[in-house]
Amino acid sequence: MFSLKDKLSRDLEQAAETGIRREADRIAGISDKELFSFAEYDEKEAEKSGYSNYSYWGSTVRMFFKNKGAVAVLLLMLAILLFTFIQPHLPGQFDPNTVNNDPATSMALRNVPPNETFRFGTNNIGQDLWARIWAGTRTSILIGFAVALIEAVVGITMGVLWGYLRKLDFFFTELYNVLDNIPQTIILILVAYILSPSVKTLIFAMSLTGWIGMARFIRNQILIIRDRDYNLASRCLGTPTRRLVMKNLLPYLVSVIMLRMALSIPGAIGNEVFVTYIGLGLPTSTPSLGNLIDAGRAVMMNVSQRYQLIYPTVILSIVTISFYIVGNAFSDAADPKNHR
Amino acid sequence: MAKYMIKRIGRSLLTLTLIICIVFILMRQMPIEGYFQNFDKLTDAQIQAGLKEQGLLDPMPVQLVHFFRNMFQGDFGVSHSYRVNVPVTQILKDKLPVSIKLGCLSILVAMCLGIPLGTLMARYKGRFFDKFGTLFIVFIQAVPAAVYFLFIQMYGTSLLNIPLLFNAGNWRSWILPVISMSLGNIAYYGMWLRRYMVDESNKDYVNLARAKGASGNTVMFRHIFRNAFVPMVQYLPSSFLNTVIGSIYVESLYSIPGMGGLLVTVIKDNDNNMVQAIVLLYATVGVIGLLLGDIMMTILDPRISLGKKEGGR
């Protein structure tokens, strides 16, 4: 401990000494004319001192790329996303809903284990599992993105109104207290039970209450930063409220908004699986990871057919885990407190 | 404090009333098949007579008042297809004990594993155990429960040579459902306890304790743990009640004759009265859990200023 302190203080002294010597050298090098003449006011020079090359997005991206693991997961995630959307246009793909027959016997090719033609095998009525899984991933990711987007847009709008218009505060606070008390699963089950299952109704049911959490968060942050000096100054200069919200408030909240969006995607995908399991999911003509997993569950005790459960769950797990990890890493990187 | 409690309880009651009204009105929008045992064989006249007998042709407010009156007398109607004409309350009375037993066991397991997990992760922050625990938590949080439950059932039953379905008499068939139900809570407790303990360990009183010469373990368990546990208390009642009332997914996966499995069955059967009663039960438990959490929090931590706290979490 003491030896460490000694070393530190010695370093410091040394540094100070070299600094003083260097400064003396510098002054000695300046001509008398420069030393003893008036410094004119120069606008450009004056601006220089206040200049910083800090850029919010630049720092965010730099911080994110420092996290090598997260970058790897991000690349994996992008590759999967890209592949799900170009897969149907690749050559030699089957239609996810066509029942494949054996050309020789014209019997349906049921439960064919994975081979060269059917990369992930076929299901119990002879549909190509590979095509169904990618079609299902498309559906599930679509639902996830739609839910996240609706939650973000509605949540931010309502949150800004809630924070800015004092008249609405009471109404929103009471609404929040009621909605927050109702278990999410129950709403999901109830709405899915009453409406006939389709992609649209599932998105509706899932985003029905999710926005209020986001709105409350935005509202709390707005209450905190609304009356800070820089916003007061902005308002005195006559900045319209909309510009104030867009330029001064929301950029501050980007990290949390992104985190919540990234986390609500795996949440929505998981909810879809759950709803399908309890019998309120999409019809099998619309493949989704939920109904593929449910179909796989039906045959899971049959060891030779387990691939029908394992493939969809592996794809689903990769998608949800990568969203979770990338979301967390990005929100760490986007938090200005972590920028140096 | 009393004023806050009354306000908080009043709000919960209001919420419950609202939920009941919404659920009731929504359930009336369902197809009327769910009110009859053998809808297809009935003539139009019989259907109309049946609807009238059940009071379903009255205007909505009248029905709602009837429902509330019956509810206070403990009458939730009769089942129409699950067990014909047996009162809903009778069916639920048989089912609840099974769920409660399983739930208590799994919450016990969750506490015994989750709390040490969080504590040890905070104690060895940044080291192997912390990384391992984080991996576990990320996995449990990111992968939908519906997926890893299936794998536990699939591989657990064949590895341990346990029967696939639940059988109350065979203790070995309790293992997998209890583990499945506790995993989520273990990760949840572990994650929050670690976060709160790390937050606490940066505070001044911890430095003071260290300066006094208390050993690392004493500081961790006597000083930090106690303070970090206070905010955890808020989550305990909800997680306890939600687990005790039965996991919808686990119960139906193992055919456990409990509440959760029942909900899935009656949804598939379109048994409207049953769905309504079970949904209300779950909603009530959710509301009560949050209420108890808030109340326990205010009792335990006198620093919370009640005036400013706006109810809820």
Coordinates of all heavy atoms in Angstrom, one line a residue, chain B residues 139-194:
Chain B
F139 N -30.5 -17.0 -20.0 CA -31.2 -18.0 -20.7 C -32.6 -18.1 -20.3 O -33.5 -18.2 -21.1 CB -30.5 -19.4 -20.4 CG -31.0 -20.5 -21.1 CD1 -30.7 -20.8 -22.4 CD2 -32.0 -21.3 -20.5 CE1 -31.2 -21.8 -23.1 CE2 -32.5 -22.4 -21.2 CZ -32.1 -22.6 -22.5
I140 N -32.9 -18.1 -19.0 CA -34.2 -18.3 -18.5 C -35.1 -17.1 -18.9 O -36.3 -17.2 -19.2 CB -34.2 -18.4 -16.9 CG1 -33.5 -19.7 -16.5 CG2 -35.6 -18.4 -16.3 CD1 -34.2 -20.9 -16.8
Q141 N -34.5 -15.9 -18.9 CA -35.3 -14.7 -19.2 C -35.6 -14.6 -20.7 O -36.6 -14.2 -21.1 CB -34.5 -13.4 -18.8 CG -34.3 -13.3 -17.3 CD -35.3 -12.4 -16.7 OE1 -35.5 -11.3 -17.2 NE2 -35.9 -12.8 -15.6
A142 N -34.6 -15.0 -21.5 CA -34.7 -14.8 -23.0 C -35.5 -15.9 -23.7 O -36.3 -15.7 -24.6 CB -33.4 -14.6 -23.6
V143 N -35.3 -17.1 -23.2 CA -36.0 -18.3 -23.9 C -37.4 -18.4 -23.3 O -37.5 -18.4 -22.1 CB -35.2 -19.6 -23.7 CG1 -36.0 -20.7 -24.4 CG2 -33.9 -19.4 -24.3
P144 N -38.4 -18.4 -24.1 CA -39.8 -18.5 -23.5 C -39.9 -19.8 -22.6 O -39.4 -20.8 -23.0 CB -40.7 -18.6 -24.7 CG -39.9 -18.1 -25.9 CD -38.5 -18.3 -25.5
A145 N -40.6 -19.6 -21.5 CA -40.8 -20.7 -20.6 C -41.4 -21.9 -21.3 O -41.1 -23.1 -21.0 CB -41.7 -20.3 -19.4
A146 N -42.3 -21.6 -22.2 CA -43.0 -22.7 -22.9 C -42.1 -23.6 -23.6 O -42.4 -24.8 -23.8 CB -44.0 -22.0 -24.0
V147 N -40.9 -23.1 -24.0 CA -39.9 -23.9 -24.7 C -39.1 -24.8 -23.7 O -39.0 -26.0 -23.9 CB -39.0 -23.1 -25.5 CG1 -37.9 -23.9 -26.1 CG2 -39.8 -22.5 -26.7
Y148 N -38.5 -24.2 -22.7 CA -37.6 -25.0 -21.8 C -38.4 -26.0 -20.9 O -37.9 -27.0 -20.6 CB -36.6 -24.2 -21.1 CG -37.1 -23.2 -20.1 CD1 -37.6 -23.6 -18.8 CD2 -37.0 -21.8 -20.4 CE1 -38.0 -22.6 -17.9 CE2 -37.4 -20.9 -19.5 CZ -37.9 -21.3 -18.2 OH -38.3 -20.4 -17.3
F149 N -39.7 -25.7 -20.7 CA -40.5 -26.6 -20.0 C -40.6 -27.9 -20.7 O -40.6 -29.0 -20.2 CB -41.9 -26.1 -19.7 CG -42.0 -25.0 -18.7 CD1 -43.2 -24.3 -18.5 CD2 -41.0 -24.8 -17.8 CE1 -43.3 -23.3 -17.5 CE2 -41.0 -23.8 -16.8 CZ -42.2 -23.1 -16.7
L150 N -40.8 -27.8 -22.1 CA -41.0 -29.0 -22.9 C -39.7 -29.9 -22.8 O -39.8 -31.1 -22.7 CB -41.2 -28.6 -24.4 CG -42.5 -28.1 -24.7 CD1 -42.6 -27.6 -26.2 CD2 -43.6 -29.2 -24.5
F151 N -38.5 -29.2 -22.9 CA -37.3 -30.0 -22.8 C -37.1 -30.6 -21.5 O -36.6 -31.7 -21.4 CB -36.1 -29.1 -23.2 CG -36.0 -28.9 -24.7 CD1 -36.8 -28.1 -25.4 CD2 -35.1 -29.7 -25.4 CE1 -36.7 -28.0 -26.7 CE2 -35.0 -29.6 -26.8 CZ -35.8 -28.7 -27.4
I152 N -37.5 -29.9 -20.4 CA -37.4 -30.6 -19.1 C -38.2 -31.8 -19.1 O -37.8 -32.9 -18.6 CB -37.8 -29.6 -18.0 CG1 -36.8 -28.5 -17.9 CG2 -37.9 -30.3 -16.7 CD1 -37.1 -27.4 -16.9
Q153 N -39.4 -31.7 -19.6 CA -40.3 -32.9 -19.6 C -39.7 -34.0 -20.5 O -39.7 -35.2 -20.1 CB -41.7 -32.5 -20.1 CG -42.7 -33.6 -19.8 CD -44.1 -33.3 -20.4 OE1 -44.2 -32.5 -21.3 NE2 -45.1 -33.9 -19.8
M154 N -39.3 -33.6 -21.7 CA -38.8 -34.6 -22.6 C -37.6 -35.4 -22.1 O -37.6 -36.6 -22.1 CB -38.5 -33.9 -23.9 CG -38.2 -34.8 -25.1 SD -38.3 -33.9 -26.6 CE -36.7 -33.2 -26.7
Y155 N -36.6 -34.6 -21.7 CA -35.3 -35.3 -21.3 C -35.4 -35.8 -19.8 O -34.9 -36.8 -19.5 CB -34.1 -34.4 -21.5 CG -33.8 -34.3 -23.0 CD1 -33.9 -33.0 -23.6 CD2 -33.5 -35.4 -23.8 CE1 -33.7 -32.9 -25.0 CE2 -33.3 -35.3 -25.1 CZ -33.4 -34.0 -25.7 OH -33.2 -33.9 -27.1
G156 N -36.1 -35.0 -19.0 CA -36.2 -35.3 -17.6 C -36.8 -36.7 -17.4 O -36.3 -37.5 -16.6
T157 N -37.9 -36.9 -18.1 CA -38.7 -38.1 -17.8 C -37.8 -39.3 -18.3 O -37.8 -40.4 -17.6 CB -40.0 -38.1 -18.6 OG1 -39.8 -37.7 -19.9 CG2 -41.0 -37.3 -17.9
S158 N -37.1 -39.2 -19.4 CA -36.4 -40.4 -19.8 C -35.1 -40.6 -19.0 O -34.7 -41.7 -18.8 CB -36.1 -40.3 -21.3 OG -35.6 -39.0 -21.7
L159 N -34.4 -39.4 -18.6 CA -33.2 -39.6 -17.9 C -33.4 -40.1 -16.5 O -32.7 -41.0 -16.0 CB -32.5 -38.2 -17.7 CG -31.7 -37.7 -18.9 CD1 -31.0 -36.4 -18.6 CD2 -30.6 -38.8 -19.2
L160 N -34.4 -39.6 -15.8 CA -34.7 -40.0 -14.4 C -35.6 -41.2 -14.3 O -35.9 -41.7 -13.3 CB -35.2 -38.9 -13.6 CG -34.3 -37.6 -13.5 CD1 -35.0 -36.5 -12.8 CD2 -33.0 -38.0 -12.8
N161 N -36.1 -41.6 -15.5 CA -37.0 -42.7 -15.6 C -38.3 -42.5 -14.7 O -38.7 -43.3 -13.9 CB -36.3 -44.0 -15.1 CG -37.1 -45.2 -15.6 OD1 -37.9 -45.1 -16.5 ND2 -36.8 -46.4 -15.1
I162 N -38.8 -41.3 -15.0 CA -40.0 -40.9 -14.2 C -41.2 -41.0 -15.1 O -41.1 -40.7 -16.4 CB -39.8 -39.4 -13.8 CG1 -38.7 -39.3 -12.7 CG2 -41.1 -38.8 -13.2 CD1 -38.3 -37.9 -12.4
P163 N -42.4 -41.3 -14.6 CA -43.6 -41.3 -15.5 C -43.8 -40.0 -16.1 O -43.5 -38.9 -15.5 CB -44.7 -41.8 -14.6 CG -44.1 -41.7 -13.2 CD -42.7 -41.8 -13.3
L164 N -44.3 -40.0 -17.3 CA -44.5 -38.7 -18.1 C -45.6 -37.8 -17.4 O -45.4 -36.6 -17.3 CB -45.0 -39.0 -19.5 CG -45.2 -37.9 -20.4 CD1 -43.9 -37.2 -20.6 CD2 -45.7 -38.3 -21.8
L165 N -46.6 -38.4 -16.9 CA -47.7 -37.6 -16.3 C -47.7 -37.7 -14.8 O -47.1 -38.5 -14.2 CB -49.0 -38.1 -16.9 CG -49.2 -38.0 -18.4 CD1 -50.5 -38.5 -18.8 CD2 -49.0 -36.6 -18.8
F166 N -48.3 -36.7 -14.2 CA -48.3 -36.5 -12.8 C -49.2 -37.5 -12.1 O -50.3 -37.9 -12.6 CB -48.8 -35.1 -12.5 CG -48.9 -34.8 -11.0 CD1 -47.8 -34.4 -10.3 CD2 -50.2 -34.8 -10.4 CE1 -47.9 -34.1 -9.0 CE2 -50.3 -34.5 -9.1 CZ -49.2 -34.1 -8.4
N167 N -48.7 -38.0 -11.0 CA -49.5 -38.9 -10.2 C -49.3 -38.6 -8.7 O -48.1 -38.7 -8.2 CB -49.1 -40.3 -10.5 CG -49.7 -41.4 -9.6 OD1 -50.6 -41.0 -8.8 ND2 -49.2 -42.6 -9.7
A168 N -50.3 -38.1 -8.0 CA -50.1 -37.5 -6.7 C -49.5 -38.5 -5.7 O -48.8 -38.1 -4.8 CB -51.4 -37.0 -6.1
G169 N -49.7 -39.8 -5.9 CA -49.2 -40.8 -5.0 C -47.7 -41.1 -5.2 O -47.1 -41.5 -4.3
N170 N -47.2 -40.8 -6.3 CA -45.8 -41.1 -6.6 C -45.0 -39.9 -6.5 O -45.0 -39.0 -7.3 CB -45.7 -41.7 -8.1 CG -44.3 -42.1 -8.5 OD1 -43.4 -41.9 -7.7 ND2 -44.2 -42.6 -9.7
W171 N -44.1 -39.8 -5.4 CA -43.4 -38.5 -5.2 C -42.5 -38.2 -6.3 O -42.2 -37.0 -6.5 CB -42.7 -38.6 -3.8 CG -41.6 -39.6 -3.8 CD1 -41.6 -40.9 -3.4 CD2 -40.2 -39.4 -4.1 NE1 -40.4 -41.5 -3.5 CE2 -39.5 -40.6 -4.0 CE3 -39.5 -38.3 -4.6 CZ2 -38.2 -40.7 -4.2 CZ3 -38.1 -38.4 -4.9 CH2 -37.5 -39.6 -4.7
R172 N -42.0 -39.2 -7.0 CA -41.0 -38.9 -8.1 C -41.6 -38.1 -9.2 O -41.0 -37.3 -9.9 CB -40.4 -40.2 -8.6 CG -39.3 -40.8 -7.7 CD -39.2 -42.3 -7.9 NE -39.0 -42.6 -9.3 CZ -37.8 -42.9 -9.7 NH1 -36.8 -43.0 -8.9 NH2 -37.6 -43.2 -11.0
S173 N -42.9 -38.2 -9.4 CA -43.6 -37.5 -10.4 C -43.8 -36.0 -10.0 O -44.3 -35.2 -10.8 CB -44.9 -38.1 -10.9 OG -45.8 -38.0 -9.8
W174 N -43.5 -35.7 -8.8 CA -43.6 -34.3 -8.4 C -42.4 -33.5 -8.8 O -42.4 -32.3 -8.8 CB -43.8 -34.2 -6.8 CG -45.1 -34.6 -6.3 CD1 -45.6 -35.9 -6.4 CD2 -46.0 -33.8 -5.6 NE1 -46.8 -35.9 -5.8 CE2 -47.1 -34.7 -5.3 CE3 -46.1 -32.5 -5.3 CZ2 -48.2 -34.2 -4.7 CZ3 -47.2 -32.0 -4.6 CH2 -48.3 -32.9 -4.3
I175 N -41.2 -34.2 -9.0 CA -39.9 -33.5 -9.1 C -39.9 -32.5 -10.3 O -39.7 -31.3 -10.1 CB -38.8 -34.6 -9.3 CG1 -38.7 -35.5 -8.1 CG2 -37.5 -33.9 -9.5 CD1 -37.7 -36.6 -8.3
L176 N -40.3 -33.0 -11.5 CA -40.1 -32.2 -12.7 C -41.1 -31.0 -12.7 O -40.6 -29.9 -12.9 CB -40.3 -33.0 -13.9 CG -39.2 -34.0 -14.2 CD1 -39.5 -34.8 -15.4 CD2 -37.8 -33.4 -14.3
P177 N -42.4 -31.2 -12.3 CA -43.2 -30.0 -12.3 C -42.7 -28.9 -11.3 O -42.7 -27.7 -11.6 CB -44.6 -30.5 -11.8 CG -44.6 -31.9 -12.1 CD -43.1 -32.4 -12.1
V178 N -42.2 -29.4 -10.1 CA -41.8 -28.4 -9.1 C -40.6 -27.7 -9.6 O -40.5 -26.4 -9.5 CB -41.5 -29.1 -7.8 CG1 -40.8 -28.2 -6.8 CG2 -42.8 -29.6 -7.1
I179 N -39.6 -28.4 -10.2 CA -38.4 -27.7 -10.8 C -38.8 -26.7 -11.9 O -38.4 -25.6 -11.9 CB -37.4 -28.8 -11.3 CG1 -36.8 -29.6 -10.2 CG2 -36.3 -28.1 -12.2 CD1 -35.9 -30.7 -10.6
S180 N -39.7 -27.2 -12.8 CA -40.1 -26.3 -13.9 C -40.7 -25.0 -13.4 O -40.4 -23.9 -13.8 CB -41.1 -27.0 -14.8 OG -40.7 -28.2 -15.2
M181 N -41.6 -25.2 -12.3 CA -42.3 -24.0 -11.8 C -41.3 -23.1 -11.1 O -41.6 -21.9 -11.0 CB -43.4 -24.4 -10.9 CG -44.6 -24.8 -11.7 SD -45.8 -25.7 -10.7 CE -46.6 -24.3 -9.8
S182 N -40.2 -23.6 -10.5 CA -39.4 -22.7 -9.7 C -38.3 -22.1 -10.5 O -37.8 -21.0 -10.1 CB -38.7 -23.5 -8.5 OG -38.0 -24.6 -9.0
L183 N -38.0 -22.6 -11.7 CA -36.9 -22.0 -12.5 C -37.0 -20.5 -12.7 O -36.1 -19.7 -12.5 CB -36.7 -22.7 -13.8 CG -35.9 -24.0 -13.8 CD1 -35.9 -24.6 -15.2 CD2 -34.5 -23.7 -13.3
G184 N -38.2 -20.1 -13.2 CA -38.4 -18.7 -13.4 C -38.2 -17.8 -12.2 O -37.6 -16.8 -12.2
N185 N -38.8 -18.3 -11.1 CA -38.6 -17.5 -9.8 C -37.1 -17.5 -9.4 O -36.7 -16.5 -8.8 CB -39.5 -18.1 -8.7 CG -40.9 -17.6 -8.8 OD1 -41.1 -16.5 -9.3 ND2 -41.8 -18.4 -8.3
I186 N -36.4 -18.6 -9.6 CA -35.0 -18.6 -9.2 C -34.2 -17.5 -9.9 O -33.5 -16.7 -9.3 CB -34.3 -20.0 -9.5 CG1 -34.9 -21.1 -8.6 CG2 -32.8 -19.9 -9.3 CD1 -34.4 -22.5 -8.9
A187 N -34.4 -17.5 -11.2 CA -33.8 -16.5 -12.0 C -34.2 -15.1 -11.6 O -33.4 -14.1 -11.5 CB -34.0 -16.7 -13.5
Y188 N -35.5 -14.9 -11.3 CA -36.0 -13.6 -11.0 C -35.4 -13.1 -9.6 O -34.9 -12.0 -9.5 CB -37.5 -13.8 -10.8 CG -38.3 -12.5 -10.8 CD1 -38.4 -11.7 -11.9 CD2 -39.0 -12.1 -9.7 CE1 -39.1 -10.5 -11.9 CE2 -39.8 -11.0 -9.6 CZ -39.8 -10.2 -10.7 OH -40.5 -9.0 -10.7
Y189 N -35.5 -14.0 -8.6 CA -34.9 -13.6 -7.3 C -33.4 -13.3 -7.4 O -32.9 -12.3 -6.9 CB -35.1 -14.7 -6.3 CG -36.5 -15.0 -5.9 CD1 -36.9 -16.3 -5.3 CD2 -37.5 -14.1 -6.0 CE1 -38.2 -16.5 -4.9 CE2 -38.8 -14.3 -5.6 CZ -39.1 -15.6 -5.1 OH -40.4 -15.9 -4.7
G190 N -32.7 -14.2 -8.2 CA -31.3 -14.1 -8.3 C -30.9 -12.7 -8.9 O -30.1 -12.0 -8.4
M191 N -31.6 -12.4 -10.0 CA -31.3 -11.2 -10.8 C -31.5 -10.0 -9.9 O -30.6 -9.1 -9.8 CB -32.2 -11.1 -12.0 CG -31.9 -9.9 -12.9 SD -33.0 -9.9 -14.3 CE -34.5 -9.4 -13.6
W192 N -32.7 -9.9 -9.2 CA -33.0 -8.7 -8.5 C -32.1 -8.5 -7.2 O -31.6 -7.5 -6.9 CB -34.5 -8.6 -8.1 CG -35.3 -8.2 -9.3 CD1 -36.1 -9.0 -10.0 CD2 -35.3 -6.9 -9.9 NE1 -36.7 -8.4 -11.0 CE2 -36.2 -7.1 -11.0 CE3 -34.7 -5.7 -9.7 CZ2 -36.5 -6.0 -11.9 CZ3 -35.0 -4.7 -10.6 CH2 -35.9 -4.8 -11.6
L193 N -31.9 -9.7 -6.6 CA -31.1 -9.6 -5.3 C -29.7 -9.2 -5.7 O -29.1 -8.4 -5.0 CB -31.1 -11.0 -4.6 CG -30.6 -11.0 -3.2 CD1 -31.4 -10.0 -2.4 CD2 -30.6 -12.4 -2.6
R194 N -29.1 -9.7 -6.7 CA -27.8 -9.3 -7.1 C -27.7 -7.8 -7.4 O -26.9 -7.1 -6.9 CB -27.4 -10.1 -8.4 CG -26.0 -9.6 -8.9 CD -25.6 -10.3 -10.2 NE -24.3 -9.8 -10.6 CZ -24.1 -8.7 -11.3 NH1 -25.2 -7.9 -11.5 NH2 -22.9 -8.3 -11.6

